[in-house]
Amino acid sequence: IKTLESLRDIGNTVIVVEHDQETMHHADWIIDIGPKAGIYGGEVIAEGSPSNIIKNKKSITGQYLSNDRKIDYNNNKRKGTNKKILLEGASGNNLKEINCSIPIGKFVCITGVSGSGKSSLIKQTLYPALFNKLYQSHSKHKALPHKSIDGYRSIDKIIMIDQSPIGKTPRSNPATYTGLFTFIRELYSNLNESKIKGYKPGRFSFNVKGGRCEKCRGGGVIKIEMYLLPDLFVECDECKGKRFNDDTLQILYKNKSIFDVLNLSVDEAAIFFKNHPAIMRKLQTLIDVGLGYIKLGQSSTTLSGGESQRIKLSSELSRVITGRSLYVLDEPTTGLHFEDIKLLLNVLNNLVQRGNTVIVIEHNMDVIKSSDWIIDIGPEGGDRGGEIVAEGTPDAISKLKKSSTGQYLRKYLD
């Protein structure tokens, strides 16, 4: 923030796309876009100084800046199972041979300044070490140096949920990634007209020959290689972007073709498929993570990192949960608004309530205060980090003067 202000003070104009509350309070002018996301957004809701935005009751951002809306602090923390995963002698990168204890059945936050060793401890040591123990794998994931890891028999699965794309081509989309499209294809193949023509579920897939447009191979777009420039995608002139051939598009359910269904938003699809429990179960998890606005067939290449991560979360929520899984997330609030963070916390708490363990590497104070247990790494970055500064409940950490995280956390617990 000081750097941005110094750039402004020497005569520059600085435009920042931001969700951070402190940054917004220091801004000279705010332009608030909304009111919500996707098809429900795209308008200027408010603009002016931070004090003007705070007074604007139409602005969700303003309501959070004024504390009219906020993520409440709940001091009743979960007790967990009293079992722990014990990682001993972690010494990779800047870690100082630390011993780390992760309580099972809790929402655990890993905190500390940038470069303190959070990712080295969790992503590069704990996660690969557990993965190799659980799946007897010694090739896919190589853990940084450590002496031992124990207590892993309390969990049966470990899942890393990051913000990487759910697919790298226009062919991948939320419906295919979550498995939702399988149920929709089965529905269309069971229609009387499909049975008469002998159409199977594969007829309604754009990944196999038969029902798809063969010119674009079901992509809806044609890739033009630009050699020295990024590849260019243009709409297929044969199917006009509809992905399927004419015969397939003639099969209608409630007057909608398979392409029309893929063009529905999740919210619209929930109304359209309200009498189909299997489809609704998948759709509801997407709604629960705040993605009601995205389209079922929206290309994965157009999704933000935060949207991709929440699609992965919804996919996990729709599975049969054993209650013994460990989920690892690295800064899931990147790119998320206050309201999105509230929805994310509901999802993470839902996973923990079912008996699972959630580990989040995070800097956002609303997430940190909502956790059951904090492991604070530091005290600083690089060579001056790599130690466990403090561990305990948010309330306990906030009282420790040696923890930088605790000092900032204190005002969020009031």
Side-chain angles (χ1 to χ4, degrees):
I1 292 171
K2 287 179 181 177
T3 304
L4 297 176
E5 288 180 330
S6 67
L7 283 170
R8 173 202 62 192
D9 292 344
I10 59 175
N12 298 295
T13 302
V14 181
I15 299 176
V16 181
V17 181
E18 189 54 83
H19 297 99
D20 179 70
Q21 188 169 349
E22 290 295 322
T23 306
M24 283 189 250
H25 276 301
H26 282 82
D28 300 307
W29 196 261
I30 295 175
I31 300 174
D32 191 38
I33 311 291
K36 294 185 180 179
I39 58 174
Y40 307 116
E43 301 173 31
V44 174
I45 301 303
E47 54 182 320
S49 65
S51 58
N52 286 335
I53 299 295
I54 286 171
K55 295 173 187 173
N56 192 317
K57 300 303 178 185
K58 292 181 181 178
S59 167
I60 296 176
T61 302
Q63 291 173 39
Y64 275 99
L65 290 178
S66 66
N67 281 331
D68 286 346
R69 283 196 195 204
K70 59 182 179 179
I71 297 171
D72 293 323
Y73 173 63
N74 182 2
N75 198 27
N76 296 321
K77 300 304 179 183
R78 282 168 284 246
K79 295 180 180 179
T81 63
N82 292 322
K83 295 181 180 178
K84 296 178 180 180
I85 294 171
L86 299 171
L87 175 68
E88 295 189 334
S91 57
N93 295 336
N94 67 335
L95 300 177
K96 308 290 196 302
E97 290 217 13
I98 61 176
N99 300 327
C100 179
S101 175
I102 305 289
I104 300 293
K106 290 189 178 185
F107 179 6
V108 182
C109 254
I110 311 299
T111 63
V113 299
S114 296
S116 59
K118 303 183 297 296
S119 293
S120 296
L121 178 65
I122 302 301
K123 290 180 68 177
Q124 296 175 271
T125 308
L126 180 77
Y127 172 75
L130 279 175
F131 188 96
N132 293 335
K133 289 288 186 182
L134 290 172
Y135 306 114
Q136 280 111 39
S137 166
H138 296 283
S139 57
K140 186 173 181 181
H141 298 281
K142 186 168 178 61
L144 290 178
H146 62 284
K147 290 179 180 176
S148 66
I149 187 163
D150 202 3
Y152 54 87
R153 291 177 181 83
S154 299
I155 60 172
D156 60 7
K157 185 167 60 171
I158 183 167
I159 305 114
M160 174 76 75
I161 303 177
D162 58 18
Q163 293 202 359
S164 61
I166 59 171
K168 295 181 180 179
T169 68
R171 205 183 304 276
S172 58
N173 58 55
T176 54
Y177 185 87
T178 59
L180 173 63
F181 200 38
T182 300
F183 295 107
I184 293 174
R185 289 191 291 112
E186 287 176 357
L187 171 63
Y188 270 80
S189 66
N190 284 324
L191 297 174
N192 288 333
E193 193 173 352
S194 291
K195 290 180 177 179
I196 291 169
K197 294 184 176 182
Y199 291 169
K200 302 297 181 185
R203 179 80 194 193
F204 302 94
S205 170
F206 43 76
N207 287 321
V208 295
K209 290 182 178 181
R212 71 182 185 182
C213 168
E214 282 307 317
K215 182 166 185 180
C216 62
R217 296 186 176 182
V221 292
I222 304 290
K223 183 172 82 168
I224 301 174
E225 292 186 6
M226 301 296 286
Y227 300 104
L228 298 176
L229 297 171
D231 292 337
L232 183 67
F233 292 92
V234 296
E235 185 180 275
C236 175
D237 57 1
E238 187 166 313
C239 67
K240 307 301 181 189
K242 293 189 175 181
R243 298 184 165 192
F244 299 92
N245 58 37
D246 288 340
D247 289 341
T248 306
L249 293 172
Q250 286 175 7
I251 306 296
L252 303 179
Y253 174 68
K254 292 185 181 179
N255 294 319
K256 288 191 185 296
S257 69
I258 190 74
F259 167 74
D260 295 328
V261 166
L262 285 171
N263 218 27
L264 293 174
S265 71
V266 171
D267 285 336
E268 292 168 335
I271 297 171
F272 188 74
F273 292 114
K274 63 181 180 181
N275 295 321
H276 297 273
I279 295 175
M280 275 304 302
R281 183 165 57 87
K282 298 280 188 182
L283 290 170
Q284 189 58 52
T285 58
L286 285 166
I287 292 170
D288 290 343
V289 298
L291 293 177
Y293 62 89
I294 64 172
K295 292 186 176 181
L296 299 186
Q298 186 171 335
S299 168
S300 65
T301 58
T302 67
L303 297 167
S304 70
E307 288 169 335
S308 295
Q309 188 170 52
R310 283 184 286 167
I311 288 171
K312 293 174 186 178
L313 273 170
S314 75
S315 182
E316 286 299 327
L317 283 170
S318 67
R319 301 180 198 274
V320 176
I321 293 178
T322 62
R324 295 179 59 209
S325 299
L326 172 62
Y327 297 90
V328 179
L329 295 91
D330 186 8
E331 295 191 50
T333 59
T334 301
L336 299 191
H337 185 270
F338 306 106
E339 193 73 356
D340 298 323
I341 292 171
K342 182 181 274 190
L343 287 169
L344 175 69
L345 283 170
N346 288 340
V347 174
L348 297 181
N349 279 313
N350 186 356
L351 287 171
V352 181
Q353 287 299 115
R354 297 191 195 186
N356 302 292
T357 305
V358 172
I359 300 175
V360 177
I361 301 169
E362 191 54 82
H363 294 103
N364 182 276
M365 287 297 164
D366 282 321
V367 174
I368 294 170
K369 76 179 186 185
S370 301
S371 66
D372 300 312
W373 194 257
I374 295 172
I375 299 174
D376 193 35
I377 312 292
E380 296 183 31
D383 291 340
R384 301 176 71 180
E387 300 176 29
I388 293 180
V389 176
E391 51 187 323
T393 63
D395 190 52
I397 297 294
S398 71
K399 295 171 182 174
L400 298 176
K401 291 183 179 180
K402 64 180 180 178
S403 168
S404 298
T405 302
Q407 298 304 300
Y408 281 96
L409 186 58
R410 186 176 301 168
K411 68 176 181 178
Y412 282 82
L413 305 188
D414 293 337

